[in-house]
Amino acid sequence: MKLGVIADDFTGASDIALMLAEGGMPTRQFVGVPQGDAACEAGVVSLKCRTIPAAEAVEQTRAACRWLRAQGAQTIIYKVCSTFDSTADGNIGPVADALSADLGEDRVIVCPAFPENGRSVYMGHLFVGDVPLNESGMQDHPLTPMTDPDLRRVMAAQSELPVAHLSAPHVWAGAEALRTDLAALPHDRCHVIVDAIRDQDLRDIARATEGRAFMVGGSGIAIGMPELFGHSAATSTWTGQDGPGAILSGSCSRATRGQVAAFGGPTMTVSAEDILSETCTPVDAATWVMAQDRPGLVTTSSDPAQVTADQDRFGRETVAAAVEGFHAATARALSERGVRRIVVAGGETSGAVVEGLGLTGFEIGPRIAAGVPALQATDRPLTLALKSGNFGGPDFFELALATLGPAQAA
């Protein structure tokens, strides 16, 4: 292994795995820290640590880092969401502090930019499309609301290290100049927010950081990595998996709510109250899917006002745990009934589904949308699409089902 990635959720893991695989790097995605050795040049360890207590996130990511280094990984990337969201007290800062200390890295590049999906960093501020992060809808996220677009302030509030900044003109001067500027920062150890608004910026950042042991970023941070290790763009040999299909949507993002509204197939909407009162159980949902003449959508996606009302009534953690548990159990019930293609919308939902199914890893297939590959489970005949809430166009669900394998009703 040459490159190791630790992802703080499952959609992010498949996102960066796609970036590396498309760049020609033999890549595997693992669920949790594997046992034993793995044969690949890039290994992506999927964790579900974005919203857990910081101390637990540090413990899990350090274990993943030790395993990746034992496989031979020369560089470690901590892959975070391109909207840089975690809990108010972390977990990006505490994890970055711990891993940089373990790896002996004194200049930690921090860049969540992903231009293809509209995420850019300019003058230290994170933008989604043409609006600052805190006006993009992320301010209404039910678990990790983001109310400050200034990554310097966000990182400084979470980290014990100084936070420096290299602005766009430093990046536009080219990789060698950026390497020099990085080394000249007046800190023994620090995190460095680096601007990026174009793919070329990310390629220059990769070249400027060649040989460094650790960095933090979204999937865009990996766009130049395969080339550093001698690879060029590759074409997928994906064949897909035929069999019944289903869609599970737990994201409450604007994009996912639009995809739910645009979906032309049968749809079952389940509320938090339905789940908590057991008015609708996972078995009920799976039975409904199997009764349809084509793949159906089971959705718990709600608008911000309804999410707030549910959280006020039942408690935020209670609602989150109930919804994630519902989707995980529904996925198990669907798999037991022969469903072979599952599309999942939402980072936390995807993590719950993968863990609920007991999957151990994935082979990386072709892209469905920017940041979303088709995935083949390594231990059973099952294909999945794990979609971050804000990714994909209006017709994502139909496109994902078609990419995962031949159309077939449940």
Side-chain angles (χ1 to χ4, degrees), residues 241-256:
Q241 174 71 52
D242 59 2
I247 306 161
L248 301 175
S249 176
S251 171
C252 296
S253 72
R254 290 176 182 172
T256 296

Side-chain angles (χ1 to χ4, degrees), residues 11 246-251 256 259 327-328 331 341-354 357 372 383-389 396-397 400 404:
T11 56
I247 306 161
L248 301 175
S249 176
S251 171
T256 296
Q259 289 156 358
H327 284 294
R341 298 175 297 134
I342 302 178
V343 179
V344 189
E348 297 300 317
T349 307
S350 293
V353 165
V354 171
L357 289 169
V372 190
T383 55
L384 296 97
L386 307 178
K387 184 191 86 74
S388 177
F396 176 83
F397 293 147
L404 291 181

Side-chain angles (χ1 to χ4, degrees), residues 78 91-101 108 155 189 191 214 216:
Y78 182 46
N91 291 331
I92 297 171
V95 168
D97 289 356
L99 295 187
S100 63
V108 180
M155 196 66 180
R189 288 180 61 209
H191 301 307
F214 179 59
V216 176

Side-chain angles (χ1 to χ4, degrees), residues 146-165:
M146 296 299 292
T147 58
D148 190 349
D150 190 330
L151 299 183
R152 297 162 296 187
R153 287 195 297 255
V154 173
M155 196 66 180
Q158 299 181 8
S159 172
E160 296 180 359
L161 297 180
V163 178
H165 174 225

Side-chain angles (χ1 to χ4, degrees), residues 72 74 79 85 136 145 204 207 292 300 345 354 357 363 404:
Q74 304 159 23
K79 197 282 176 190
D85 56 308
S136 68
D204 286 336
R207 286 194 288 270
Q292 307 308 307
T300 58
V354 171
L357 289 169
E363 300 291 344
L404 291 181

Side-chain angles (χ1 to χ4, degrees), residues 7-28:
D8 69 356
D9 78 348
F10 290 73
T11 56
S14 60
D15 181 358
I16 197 167
L18 174 64
M19 188 73 70
L20 295 169
E22 286 187 329
M25 216 167 175
T27 303
R28 288 278 301 279

Side-chain angles (χ1 to χ4, degrees), residues 1-136:
M1 190 180 294
K2 297 176 181 178
L3 178 65
V5 178
I6 305 165
D8 69 356
D9 78 348
F10 290 73
T11 56
S14 60
D15 181 358
I16 197 167
L18 174 64
M19 188 73 70
L20 295 169
E22 286 187 329
M25 216 167 175
T27 303
R28 288 278 301 279
Q29 181 178 342
F30 305 97
V31 177
V33 181
Q35 300 295 316
D37 296 333
C40 56
E41 287 193 26
V44 181
V45 175
S46 316
L47 300 177
K48 194 171 182 289
C49 64
R50 184 177 300 170
T51 59
I52 65 176
E56 294 179 26
V58 168
E59 180 180 0
Q60 291 185 21
T61 53
R62 292 183 75 189
C65 184
R66 288 192 296 270
W67 181 81
L68 290 165
R69 293 289 278 188
Q71 302 305 304
Q74 304 159 23
T75 299
I76 302 294
I77 297 174
Y78 182 46
K79 197 282 176 190
V80 299
C81 186
S82 61
T83 48
F84 212 69
D85 56 308
S86 61
T87 64
D89 299 323
N91 291 331
I92 297 171
V95 168
D97 289 356
L99 295 187
S100 63
D102 289 351
L103 295 166
E105 181 56 75
D106 62 352
R107 300 284 188 272
V108 180
I109 292 290
V110 180
C111 183
F114 189 2
E116 187 177 6
N117 260 338
R119 276 61 165 168
S120 59
V121 181
Y122 184 69
M123 294 303 163
H125 288 64
L126 180 56
F127 290 83
V128 177
D130 62 354
V131 299
L133 175 66
N134 61 318
E135 298 176 18
S136 68

Side-chain angles (χ1 to χ4, degrees), residues 174-188:
E176 290 307 314
L178 182 59
R179 183 190 294 272
T180 300
D181 292 341
L182 188 63
L185 291 170
H187 304 287
D188 292 333

